[in-house]
Amino acid sequence: MKYISTRGAALALGFEDVVLTGLATDGGLYVPETLPEFSHAEIASWAGLGYRDLAFKVISPFVAGAIPDADLKRIIDSSYDTFRHQAIAPLVQTGHNEWVLELFQGPTLAFKDFALQFLGNLLDYILAKRQQKVVVLGATSGDTGSAAIEGCRRCENVDIFILHPYQRVSEVQRRQMTSVLEPNVHNIALQGNFDDCQNLVKASFSDQSFLPAGRQLVAVNSINWARIMAQIVYYFYAGLALGAPHRPVAFSVPTGNFGDIFAGYLAKRMGLPIDQLVIATNSNDILHRCISSNDHTKKPLQHSLSPSMDIMVSSNFERMLFDLYDRDGAQINSLMNEFKNSGALHLAPAALDKARALFSSYRLSDEETVAVIKDVYENTEYLLDPHTAIGVQAARKTRRDTSTPMICLATAHPAKFPEAVKQAVAEGDPALPHHMRDLLARDERYQVLANDLSSLKSFISSNIRA
Protein backbone atom coordinates (compact mmCIF):
# COMPACT_ATOMS: atom_id res chain seq x y z
CA MET A 1 0.00 0.00 0.00
CA LYS A 2 1.44 3.37 -1.07
CA TYR A 3 0.27 6.79 0.11
CA ILE A 4 0.11 9.90 -2.07
CA SER A 5 -0.27 13.61 -1.36
CA THR A 6 -3.48 15.51 -2.03
CA ARG A 7 -1.40 18.14 -3.84
CA GLY A 8 0.29 15.71 -6.19
CA ALA A 9 3.92 16.84 -5.97
CA ALA A 10 5.35 14.83 -3.05
CA LEU A 11 6.88 11.37 -3.21
CA ALA A 12 4.62 8.42 -2.48
CA LEU A 13 5.40 6.79 0.88
CA GLY A 14 4.95 3.43 2.56
CA PHE A 15 2.89 2.96 5.71
CA GLU A 16 5.58 3.48 8.36
CA ASP A 17 6.95 6.57 6.66
CA VAL A 18 3.51 8.11 6.28
CA VAL A 19 2.83 7.63 10.01
CA LEU A 20 6.04 9.50 10.84
CA THR A 21 5.72 12.21 8.19
CA GLY A 22 2.41 14.00 8.81
CA LEU A 23 2.21 16.76 6.20
CA ALA A 24 3.64 15.97 2.77
CA THR A 25 6.57 18.04 1.47
CA ASP A 26 4.23 19.83 -0.94
CA GLY A 27 1.95 20.89 1.93
CA GLY A 28 -0.70 18.28 1.18
CA LEU A 29 -2.14 15.44 3.25
CA TYR A 30 -1.43 11.78 2.62
CA VAL A 31 -4.17 9.40 1.48
CA PRO A 32 -4.02 5.78 0.26
CA GLU A 33 -3.22 5.43 -3.42
CA THR A 34 -6.03 2.87 -3.61
CA LEU A 35 -8.75 2.14 -1.08
CA PRO A 36 -9.50 -1.44 0.03
CA GLU A 37 -13.04 -2.59 -0.71
CA PHE A 38 -14.90 -5.33 1.13
CA SER A 39 -17.69 -7.41 -0.39
CA HIS A 40 -21.16 -7.78 1.09
CA ALA A 41 -20.31 -11.39 2.02
CA GLU A 42 -17.02 -10.44 3.68
CA ILE A 43 -18.62 -7.71 5.80
CA ALA A 44 -21.46 -10.07 6.72
CA SER A 45 -18.92 -12.65 7.91
CA TRP A 46 -17.67 -10.14 10.51
CA ALA A 47 -20.97 -10.04 12.40
CA GLY A 48 -20.36 -10.85 16.05
CA LEU A 49 -16.64 -10.03 16.03
CA GLY A 50 -15.35 -8.14 19.06
CA TYR A 51 -13.99 -4.65 18.52
CA ARG A 52 -10.31 -5.69 18.53
CA ASP A 53 -10.80 -8.48 15.99
CA LEU A 54 -12.86 -6.23 13.74
CA ALA A 55 -10.19 -3.52 13.96
CA PHE A 56 -7.62 -5.97 12.65
CA LYS A 57 -9.86 -6.86 9.68
CA VAL A 58 -10.39 -3.18 8.75
CA ILE A 59 -6.88 -1.87 9.43
CA SER A 60 -4.67 -4.65 8.06
CA PRO A 61 -5.17 -3.83 4.33
CA PHE A 62 -3.86 -0.30 4.97
CA VAL A 63 -0.74 -1.69 6.65
CA ALA A 64 -0.29 -4.27 3.89
CA GLY A 65 2.65 -6.21 5.30
CA ALA A 66 4.60 -3.25 6.72
CA ILE A 67 3.96 -4.75 10.17
CA PRO A 68 3.64 -8.53 10.70
CA ASP A 69 0.09 -9.61 11.49
CA ALA A 70 0.98 -10.88 14.96
CA ASP A 71 2.60 -7.56 15.88
CA LEU A 72 -0.31 -5.55 14.47
CA LYS A 73 -2.74 -7.64 16.53
CA ARG A 74 -0.72 -6.96 19.68
CA ILE A 75 -0.69 -3.21 18.96
CA ILE A 76 -4.47 -3.19 18.46
CA ASP A 77 -5.16 -5.32 21.54
CA SER A 78 -3.05 -3.16 23.86
CA SER A 79 -4.62 0.02 22.45
CA TYR A 80 -8.12 -0.95 23.55
CA ASP A 81 -7.21 -2.65 26.84
CA THR A 82 -7.39 0.81 28.46
CA PHE A 83 -11.12 1.25 27.65
CA ARG A 84 -13.61 1.02 30.53
CA HIS A 85 -16.44 -0.77 28.69
CA GLN A 86 -16.08 -4.31 27.37
CA ALA A 87 -17.90 -3.38 24.16
CA ILE A 88 -15.31 -0.59 23.56
CA ALA A 89 -17.96 1.38 21.59
CA PRO A 90 -21.40 0.58 23.08
CA LEU A 91 -24.67 1.69 21.48
CA VAL A 92 -27.52 3.31 23.46
CA GLN A 93 -31.01 3.85 22.00
CA THR A 94 -32.42 7.37 22.44
CA GLY A 95 -35.40 7.29 20.07
CA HIS A 96 -37.14 5.35 17.32
CA ASN A 97 -34.31 3.81 15.32
CA GLU A 98 -32.05 6.50 16.81
CA TRP A 99 -28.86 5.39 18.52
CA VAL A 100 -25.95 7.04 20.31
CA LEU A 101 -22.55 5.41 19.75
CA GLU A 102 -20.58 6.00 22.96
CA LEU A 103 -17.07 6.83 21.83
CA PHE A 104 -16.02 8.17 25.24
CA GLN A 105 -15.19 4.94 27.07
CA GLY A 106 -11.43 5.44 26.68
CA PRO A 107 -8.98 6.83 29.25
CA THR A 108 -9.61 10.54 28.45
CA LEU A 109 -13.39 10.28 27.88
CA ALA A 110 -13.36 11.36 24.22
CA PHE A 111 -13.49 9.70 20.80
CA LYS A 112 -9.90 10.76 20.14
CA ASP A 113 -8.77 7.85 22.36
CA PHE A 114 -9.73 5.38 19.63
CA ALA A 115 -7.08 6.74 17.29
CA LEU A 116 -4.50 8.09 19.73
CA GLN A 117 -4.14 5.05 21.98
CA PHE A 118 -3.50 3.16 18.75
CA LEU A 119 -1.12 5.80 17.37
CA GLY A 120 0.92 5.89 20.61
CA ASN A 121 1.44 2.14 20.52
CA LEU A 122 2.16 2.25 16.79
CA LEU A 123 4.82 4.94 17.26
CA ASP A 124 6.42 2.97 20.08
CA TYR A 125 6.67 -0.05 17.80
CA ILE A 126 8.03 1.77 14.74
CA LEU A 127 10.53 3.93 16.65
CA ALA A 128 11.92 1.01 18.66
CA LYS A 129 12.41 -0.95 15.43
CA ARG A 130 14.16 1.99 13.77
CA GLN A 131 16.08 3.05 16.91
CA GLN A 132 14.80 6.57 16.30
CA LYS A 133 13.58 9.45 18.50
CA VAL A 134 10.97 11.99 17.40
CA VAL A 135 9.14 15.11 18.55
CA VAL A 136 5.34 14.87 18.53
CA LEU A 137 3.71 18.24 17.92
CA GLY A 138 -0.03 18.84 17.89
CA ALA A 139 -2.76 21.43 18.30
CA THR A 140 -5.97 20.77 20.20
CA SER A 141 -9.33 22.42 20.60
CA GLY A 142 -9.73 20.35 23.76
CA ASP A 143 -9.81 16.57 23.32
CA THR A 144 -7.01 15.63 20.92
CA GLY A 145 -4.35 16.96 23.31
CA SER A 146 -5.26 14.86 26.33
CA ALA A 147 -5.74 11.74 24.20
CA ALA A 148 -2.37 12.28 22.48
CA ILE A 149 -0.62 12.84 25.80
CA GLU A 150 -2.22 9.74 27.30
CA GLY A 151 -1.12 7.73 24.26
CA CYS A 152 2.48 9.03 24.31
CA ARG A 153 3.27 9.71 27.97
CA ARG A 154 5.11 6.40 28.39
CA CYS A 155 6.84 6.39 25.00
CA GLU A 156 10.59 6.34 25.57
CA ASN A 157 11.45 7.72 22.13
CA VAL A 158 8.92 10.58 22.04
CA ASP A 159 8.92 14.15 23.36
CA ILE A 160 5.39 15.54 23.01
CA PHE A 161 4.36 19.21 22.76
CA ILE A 162 0.65 20.09 22.65
CA LEU A 163 -0.77 23.56 21.97
CA HIS A 164 -4.21 24.54 23.23
CA PRO A 165 -5.91 27.96 22.97
CA TYR A 166 -5.37 29.79 26.28
CA GLN A 167 -8.57 29.97 28.36
CA ARG A 168 -10.65 28.52 25.50
CA VAL A 169 -10.95 24.90 26.59
CA SER A 170 -13.01 23.58 29.50
CA GLU A 171 -11.31 23.18 32.88
CA VAL A 172 -11.64 19.41 32.71
CA GLN A 173 -10.09 19.37 29.23
CA ARG A 174 -7.21 21.58 30.36
CA ARG A 175 -6.46 19.62 33.50
CA GLN A 176 -6.51 16.30 31.64
CA MET A 177 -3.52 17.65 29.73
CA THR A 178 -1.70 19.81 32.24
CA SER A 179 -1.81 17.37 35.16
CA VAL A 180 0.32 14.83 33.27
CA LEU A 181 3.78 15.59 34.66
CA GLU A 182 6.01 13.08 32.85
CA PRO A 183 9.26 14.70 31.68
CA ASN A 184 8.52 14.04 28.00
CA VAL A 185 5.16 15.91 28.13
CA HIS A 186 4.92 19.67 27.48
CA ASN A 187 1.67 21.65 27.39
CA ILE A 188 1.55 25.08 25.76
CA ALA A 189 -1.34 27.51 26.27
CA LEU A 190 -1.21 29.73 23.18
CA GLN A 191 -2.61 33.25 23.36
CA GLY A 192 -4.92 32.77 20.40
CA ASN A 193 -7.64 30.44 19.11
CA PHE A 194 -7.46 26.88 17.80
CA ASP A 195 -6.81 27.97 14.22
CA ASP A 196 -3.78 29.96 15.49
CA CYS A 197 -2.51 26.81 17.21
CA GLN A 198 -3.05 24.77 14.06
CA ASN A 199 -1.30 27.37 11.88
CA LEU A 200 1.81 27.35 14.11
CA VAL A 201 1.92 23.56 14.01
CA LYS A 202 1.72 23.55 10.21
CA ALA A 203 4.42 26.25 9.97
CA SER A 204 6.69 24.22 12.26
CA PHE A 205 6.26 21.14 10.09
CA SER A 206 7.17 23.09 6.95
CA ASP A 207 10.54 24.19 8.42
CA GLN A 208 12.03 21.78 10.98
CA SER A 209 15.54 23.28 11.02
CA PHE A 210 15.07 24.31 14.67
CA LEU A 211 15.19 20.65 15.78
CA PRO A 212 18.37 18.87 16.93
CA ALA A 213 20.13 16.73 14.34
CA GLY A 214 18.40 13.40 13.77
CA ARG A 215 15.00 14.51 15.11
CA GLN A 216 11.81 15.09 13.14
CA LEU A 217 8.29 16.24 13.92
CA VAL A 218 5.44 13.73 13.97
CA ALA A 219 1.79 14.80 13.76
CA VAL A 220 -0.90 13.59 16.15
CA ASN A 221 -3.61 15.83 14.75
CA SER A 222 -5.90 14.14 12.28
CA ILE A 223 -3.57 15.16 9.47
CA ASN A 224 -1.83 11.90 10.49
CA TRP A 225 -3.27 9.14 8.32
CA ALA A 226 -3.11 6.54 11.12
CA ARG A 227 -5.76 8.47 13.05
CA ILE A 228 -8.24 8.45 10.17
CA MET A 229 -7.56 4.75 9.59
CA ALA A 230 -8.32 3.82 13.22
CA GLN A 231 -11.58 5.80 13.18
CA ILE A 232 -12.99 3.87 10.21
CA VAL A 233 -13.36 0.83 12.46
CA TYR A 234 -16.19 2.05 14.67
CA TYR A 235 -18.39 2.83 11.68
CA PHE A 236 -18.20 -0.82 10.70
CA TYR A 237 -18.68 -1.91 14.33
CA ALA A 238 -21.85 0.14 14.81
CA GLY A 239 -23.20 -0.71 11.36
CA LEU A 240 -22.76 -4.45 11.92
CA ALA A 241 -24.46 -4.21 15.32
CA LEU A 242 -27.56 -2.70 13.69
CA GLY A 243 -27.93 -5.04 10.75
CA ALA A 244 -25.41 -4.00 8.09
CA PRO A 245 -24.60 -5.07 5.46
CA HIS A 246 -28.10 -6.55 5.07
CA ARG A 247 -29.66 -3.13 5.72
CA PRO A 248 -28.34 0.43 5.27
CA VAL A 249 -27.36 2.64 8.22
CA ALA A 250 -26.92 6.40 8.68
CA PHE A 251 -24.54 8.46 10.81
CA SER A 252 -24.61 11.97 12.27
CA VAL A 253 -21.19 13.30 13.24
CA PRO A 254 -20.31 16.37 15.36
CA THR A 255 -17.77 17.94 13.03
CA GLY A 256 -14.84 20.30 13.51
CA ASN A 257 -11.68 19.29 11.68
CA PHE A 258 -13.53 16.86 9.34
CA GLY A 259 -11.38 13.83 10.26
CA ASP A 260 -14.13 11.84 11.98
CA ILE A 261 -16.74 12.19 9.26
CA PHE A 262 -14.09 11.64 6.58
CA ALA A 263 -13.51 8.23 8.19
CA GLY A 264 -17.24 7.58 7.75
CA TYR A 265 -17.03 8.54 4.09
CA LEU A 266 -14.15 6.06 3.66
CA ALA A 267 -16.16 3.32 5.39
CA LYS A 268 -18.93 3.93 2.86
CA ARG A 269 -16.50 3.66 -0.05
CA MET A 270 -15.02 0.48 1.44
CA GLY A 271 -18.40 -1.24 1.28
CA LEU A 272 -20.39 -0.35 4.39
CA PRO A 273 -23.93 0.54 3.19
CA ILE A 274 -24.19 4.07 4.62
CA ASP A 275 -27.34 5.77 3.37
CA GLN A 276 -26.71 9.21 4.92
CA LEU A 277 -23.77 11.10 6.49
CA VAL A 278 -24.73 14.23 8.45
CA ILE A 279 -22.23 17.02 9.11
CA ALA A 280 -23.30 18.58 12.44
CA THR A 281 -21.74 21.95 13.32
CA ASN A 282 -22.02 24.69 15.92
CA SER A 283 -21.90 28.43 15.15
CA ASN A 284 -18.49 27.93 13.54
CA ASP A 285 -20.31 26.58 10.53
CA ILE A 286 -17.95 26.83 7.54
CA LEU A 287 -18.65 23.22 6.56
CA HIS A 288 -22.44 23.61 6.80
CA ARG A 289 -22.23 26.81 4.74
CA CYS A 290 -20.07 25.05 2.17
CA ILE A 291 -22.54 22.20 1.68
CA SER A 292 -25.73 24.26 1.92
CA SER A 293 -24.75 27.39 -0.02
CA ASN A 294 -21.25 26.84 -1.46
CA ASP A 295 -19.84 29.41 0.96
CA HIS A 296 -16.52 28.11 2.30
CA THR A 297 -15.43 31.52 3.64
CA LYS A 298 -13.45 32.09 6.83
CA LYS A 299 -15.28 34.14 9.44
CA PRO A 300 -14.19 35.21 12.94
CA LEU A 301 -14.11 32.23 15.27
CA GLN A 302 -16.83 32.18 17.93
CA HIS A 303 -16.34 30.74 21.42
CA SER A 304 -19.14 28.24 22.09
CA LEU A 305 -20.45 25.70 24.60
CA SER A 306 -19.05 23.00 22.28
CA PRO A 307 -15.41 24.16 22.19
CA SER A 308 -13.95 21.07 20.51
CA MET A 309 -15.79 22.20 17.37
CA ASP A 310 -14.62 25.82 17.57
CA ILE A 311 -12.67 25.45 14.36
CA MET A 312 -12.91 27.54 11.21
CA VAL A 313 -10.29 25.85 9.01
CA SER A 314 -11.05 22.12 8.78
CA SER A 315 -7.74 20.58 7.75
CA ASN A 316 -9.12 17.21 6.66
CA PHE A 317 -11.57 18.78 4.26
CA GLU A 318 -8.64 18.88 1.83
CA ARG A 319 -8.71 15.07 1.72
CA MET A 320 -12.39 15.25 0.79
CA LEU A 321 -11.75 17.89 -1.85
CA PHE A 322 -9.12 15.61 -3.40
CA ASP A 323 -11.81 13.03 -4.12
CA LEU A 324 -14.44 15.61 -5.09
CA TYR A 325 -12.02 16.90 -7.74
CA ASP A 326 -11.21 13.40 -9.09
CA ARG A 327 -7.83 13.26 -7.27
CA ASP A 328 -6.36 16.11 -9.30
CA GLY A 329 -3.46 17.22 -7.07
CA ALA A 330 -2.60 20.31 -9.11
CA GLN A 331 -6.18 21.55 -8.85
CA ILE A 332 -6.22 20.96 -5.07
CA ASN A 333 -2.94 22.84 -4.72
CA SER A 334 -4.46 25.79 -6.58
CA LEU A 335 -7.65 25.67 -4.49
CA MET A 336 -5.81 25.55 -1.17
CA ASN A 337 -3.51 28.41 -2.14
CA GLU A 338 -6.55 30.44 -3.15
CA PHE A 339 -8.16 29.72 0.23
CA LYS A 340 -4.95 30.61 2.09
CA ASN A 341 -4.61 33.92 0.27
CA SER A 342 -8.24 35.04 0.13
CA GLY A 343 -9.93 33.19 2.99
CA ALA A 344 -12.59 31.96 0.57
CA LEU A 345 -13.16 28.84 -1.48
CA HIS A 346 -16.08 27.97 -3.75
CA LEU A 347 -16.60 24.48 -5.13
CA ALA A 348 -16.98 23.87 -8.84
CA PRO A 349 -20.55 22.80 -9.74
CA ALA A 350 -19.59 19.15 -10.30
CA ALA A 351 -17.69 18.96 -6.99
CA LEU A 352 -20.56 20.62 -5.12
CA ASP A 353 -23.07 18.16 -6.59
CA LYS A 354 -20.90 15.25 -5.41
CA ALA A 355 -20.58 16.75 -1.92
CA ARG A 356 -24.34 17.25 -1.62
CA ALA A 357 -24.97 13.67 -2.75
CA LEU A 358 -22.63 12.43 0.00
CA PHE A 359 -23.47 14.71 2.93
CA SER A 360 -26.34 16.46 4.67
CA SER A 361 -25.49 19.29 7.06
CA TYR A 362 -27.00 21.28 9.91
CA ARG A 363 -25.94 24.06 12.30
CA LEU A 364 -26.96 24.63 15.94
CA SER A 365 -26.58 27.64 18.23
CA ASP A 366 -25.63 27.34 21.91
CA GLU A 367 -29.24 27.95 22.92
CA GLU A 368 -30.47 25.16 20.66
CA THR A 369 -27.74 22.85 21.94
CA VAL A 370 -28.80 23.38 25.56
CA ALA A 371 -32.44 22.75 24.59
CA VAL A 372 -31.52 19.40 23.00
CA ILE A 373 -29.60 18.25 26.09
CA LYS A 374 -32.64 19.14 28.19
CA ASP A 375 -35.14 17.46 25.86
CA VAL A 376 -33.22 14.19 25.58
CA TYR A 377 -32.63 14.05 29.34
CA GLU A 378 -36.29 14.72 30.18
CA ASN A 379 -37.50 12.05 27.75
CA THR A 380 -34.87 9.35 28.28
CA GLU A 381 -32.81 10.32 31.37
CA TYR A 382 -29.78 10.05 29.09
CA LEU A 383 -27.27 12.88 29.42
CA LEU A 384 -25.59 14.20 26.27
CA ASP A 385 -22.49 16.35 26.09
CA PRO A 386 -22.97 19.50 23.94
CA HIS A 387 -21.11 18.13 20.91
CA THR A 388 -23.18 14.95 20.88
CA ALA A 389 -26.36 17.02 21.32
CA ILE A 390 -25.51 18.88 18.13
CA GLY A 391 -25.15 15.56 16.34
CA VAL A 392 -28.47 14.27 17.67
CA GLN A 393 -30.43 17.37 16.64
CA ALA A 394 -28.74 17.55 13.23
CA ALA A 395 -29.81 13.95 12.67
CA ARG A 396 -33.40 14.71 13.66
CA LYS A 397 -33.58 17.75 11.39
CA THR A 398 -32.04 16.20 8.28
CA ARG A 399 -33.07 12.55 8.52
CA ARG A 400 -34.38 11.17 5.24
CA ASP A 401 -35.69 7.74 6.24
CA THR A 402 -36.84 6.75 9.74
CA SER A 403 -36.68 3.05 8.80
CA THR A 404 -32.89 3.34 8.53
CA PRO A 405 -31.02 3.22 11.86
CA MET A 406 -29.54 6.66 12.60
CA ILE A 407 -26.34 6.46 14.65
CA CYS A 408 -25.22 9.66 16.38
CA LEU A 409 -21.56 9.69 17.36
CA ALA A 410 -21.14 10.62 21.04
CA THR A 411 -17.74 12.25 20.94
CA ALA A 412 -17.24 13.09 24.63
CA HIS A 413 -18.45 12.30 28.15
CA PRO A 414 -20.82 14.99 29.52
CA ALA A 415 -18.57 15.50 32.59
CA LYS A 416 -16.03 17.20 30.30
CA PHE A 417 -18.49 20.04 29.62
CA PRO A 418 -20.39 20.78 32.84
CA GLU A 419 -21.22 24.37 31.84
CA ALA A 420 -23.56 23.31 29.05
CA VAL A 421 -25.04 20.43 31.03
CA LYS A 422 -25.83 22.63 34.05
CA GLN A 423 -27.62 25.11 31.82
CA ALA A 424 -29.80 22.31 30.47
CA VAL A 425 -30.48 20.14 33.50
CA ALA A 426 -31.06 21.72 36.92
CA GLU A 427 -29.75 18.71 38.83
CA GLY A 428 -27.14 18.02 36.18
CA ASP A 429 -23.66 18.15 37.63
CA PRO A 430 -22.16 15.24 35.72
CA ALA A 431 -19.64 13.39 37.85
CA LEU A 432 -16.29 12.38 36.49
CA PRO A 433 -15.70 8.61 36.32
CA HIS A 434 -14.02 7.06 39.31
CA HIS A 435 -10.50 7.10 37.84
CA MET A 436 -10.73 10.88 37.39
CA ARG A 437 -12.51 11.93 40.57
CA ASP A 438 -9.42 13.78 41.87
CA LEU A 439 -8.68 15.52 38.55
CA LEU A 440 -9.51 19.06 39.73
CA ALA A 441 -7.12 18.69 42.69
CA ARG A 442 -4.10 17.44 40.72
CA ASP A 443 -1.01 19.60 40.21
CA GLU A 444 -0.71 21.29 36.81
CA ARG A 445 2.22 22.26 34.60
CA TYR A 446 1.97 24.31 31.41
CA GLN A 447 3.57 27.26 29.62
CA VAL A 448 1.68 30.29 28.31
CA LEU A 449 3.18 31.51 25.02
CA ALA A 450 2.39 34.36 22.65
CA ASN A 451 1.02 33.56 19.20
CA ASP A 452 4.52 33.67 17.73
CA LEU A 453 6.34 31.00 15.71
CA SER A 454 9.85 31.85 16.90
CA SER A 455 8.77 31.66 20.56
CA LEU A 456 7.22 28.25 19.95
CA LYS A 457 10.29 26.90 18.17
CA SER A 458 12.57 28.20 20.90
CA PHE A 459 10.49 26.56 23.62
CA ILE A 460 10.45 23.22 21.80
CA SER A 461 14.17 23.16 21.01
CA SER A 462 15.11 23.98 24.60
CA ASN A 463 12.91 21.24 26.09
CA ILE A 464 13.79 18.23 23.95
CA ARG A 465 15.50 15.51 25.98
CA ALA A 466 18.90 14.33 24.85
Side-chain angles (χ1 to χ4, degrees):
M1 174 74 75
K2 288 291 185 181
Y3 292 83
I4 59 174
S5 169
T6 53
R7 303 194 189 184
L11 291 173
L13 298 180
F15 177 74
E16 287 191 4
D17 287 324
V18 88
V19 170
L20 295 178
T21 299
L23 278 175
T25 54
D26 59 3
L29 305 183
Y30 279 106
V31 292
E33 193 169 39
T34 58
L35 199 63
E37 294 182 19
F38 304 120
S39 67
H40 183 284
E42 188 172 9
I43 296 171
S45 74
W46 297 343
L49 286 182
Y51 194 91
R52 296 168 181 83
D53 291 335
L54 179 64
F56 178 77
K57 296 284 190 183
V58 173
I59 288 172
S60 55
F62 293 106
V63 178
I67 298 173
D69 284 353
D71 291 343
L72 180 60
K73 286 180 179 178
R74 279 194 293 270
I75 291 169
I76 291 170
D77 287 348
S78 60
S79 299
Y80 300 109
D81 283 345
T82 58
F83 281 60
R84 296 172 297 125
H85 197 294
Q86 287 189 346
I88 311 298
L91 282 158
V92 175
Q93 190 165 10
T94 52
H96 171 66
N97 240 353
E98 177 186 277
W99 305 80
V100 166
L101 180 65
E102 291 190 342
L103 300 179
F104 52 73
Q105 299 290 346
T108 72
L109 314 182
F111 81 100
K112 308 291 177 73
D113 287 323
F114 279 84
L116 287 164
Q117 286 293 300
F118 174 74
L119 180 58
N121 287 312
L122 188 62
L123 285 173
D124 237 5
Y125 176 88
I126 294 172
L127 295 173
K129 185 170 77 171
R130 294 187 172 200
Q131 296 184 315
Q132 184 179 351
K133 293 185 176 183
V134 298
V135 176
V136 166
L137 177 62
T140 185
S141 56
D143 290 331
T144 293
S146 57
I149 287 168
E150 189 64 33
C152 294
R153 64 191 295 180
R154 297 176 185 88
C155 295
E156 294 183 5
N157 298 310
V158 170
D159 290 295
I160 180 168
F161 297 81
I162 296 294
L163 285 71
H164 72 267
Y166 183 49
Q167 297 182 336
R168 294 195 180 190
V169 298
S170 76
E171 184 178 12
V172 170
Q173 286 179 311
R174 187 192 77 241
R175 285 181 176 271
Q176 281 186 298
M177 295 183 283
T178 60
S179 62
V180 178
L181 306 180
E182 271 84 354
N184 69 323
V185 174
H186 302 277
N187 283 286
I188 298 164
L190 191 79
Q191 292 176 325
N193 58 39
F194 171 75
D195 287 343
D196 296 322
C197 295
Q198 189 163 250
N199 288 337
L200 289 192
V201 168
K202 288 182 177 179
S204 299
F205 270 88
S206 67
D207 177 10
Q208 301 185 26
S209 59
F210 66 97
L211 296 176
R215 301 291 173 96
Q216 70 177 80
L217 294 179
V218 171
V220 289
N221 283 68
S222 50
I223 60 173
N224 191 308
W225 165 253
R227 280 194 51 186
I228 304 293
M229 177 182 71
Q231 290 170 323
I232 297 169
V233 178
Y234 47 70
Y235 285 91
F236 278 92
Y237 185 74
L240 282 160
L242 294 177
H246 306 296
R247 67 189 301 199
V249 289
F251 291 89
S252 180
V253 186
T255 305
N257 220 15
F258 205 80
D260 207 10
I261 196 161
F262 184 70
Y265 157 76
L266 293 178
K268 177 182 175 77
R269 285 195 54 205
M270 291 165 68
L272 186 66
I274 298 177
D275 181 60
Q276 188 177 8
L277 282 166
V278 182
I279 297 170
T281 76
N282 63 14
S283 53
N284 298 293
D285 61 349
I286 189 169
L287 293 169
H288 168 61
R289 286 186 283 110
C290 182
I291 299 297
S292 61
S293 57
N294 201 12
D295 176 20
H296 195 272
T297 305
K298 284 176 65 176
K299 293 185 176 181
L301 202 71
Q302 298 185 42
H303 185 49
S304 78
L305 290 173
S306 47
S308 298
M309 294 157 65
D310 289 348
I311 296 169
M312 190 52 68
V313 179
S314 301
S315 291
N316 280 290
F317 195 53
E318 180 171 337
R319 285 182 163 121
M320 192 66 243
L321 289 171
F322 186 55
D323 279 5
L324 294 177
Y325 281 81
D326 300 320
R327 308 201 121 200
D328 185 337
Q331 200 163 3
I332 298 305
N333 187 55
S334 176
L335 271 174
M336 299 315 296
N337 284 330
E338 175 190 341
F339 182 60
K340 181 180 178 181
N341 294 329
S342 69
L345 184 157
H346 301 285
L347 302 187
L352 182 62
D353 288 345
K354 290 179 188 176
R356 287 174 170 169
L358 289 165
F359 301 104
S360 308
S361 68
Y362 198 77
R363 169 198 183 278
L364 261 73
S365 67
D366 277 352
E367 293 75 20
E368 292 169 312
T369 302
V370 169
V372 175
I373 297 172
K374 181 179 181 180
D375 175 70
V376 171
Y377 184 75
E378 288 181 347
N379 284 286
T380 67
E381 296 189 13
Y382 188 78
L383 200 55
L384 302 172
D385 96 289
H387 307 79
T388 307
I390 290 171
V392 167
Q393 186 69 351
R396 292 176 174 180
K397 291 293 186 180
T398 64
R399 194 170 182 180
R400 293 197 294 254
D401 184 357
T402 56
S403 69
T404 298
M406 173 61 77
I407 304 160
C408 307
L409 271 55
T411 54
H413 191 288
K416 299 191 78 165
F417 304 96
E419 181 184 354
V421 175
K422 287 177 183 177
Q423 287 188 33
V425 182
E427 66 273 22
D429 189 2
L432 287 163
H434 180 73
H435 75 285
M436 282 189 189
R437 288 289 167 85
D438 66 340
L439 179 67
L440 302 184
R442 295 176 190 173
D443 291 337
E444 291 186 88
R445 187 185 72 220
Y446 62 98
Q447 179 71 39
V448 180
L449 289 182
N451 182 14
D452 175 71
L453 183 60
S454 61
S455 297
L456 173 64
K457 288 183 174 181
S458 176
F459 180 81
I460 292 172
S461 61
S462 61
N463 283 282
I464 295 172
R465 298 171 299 166

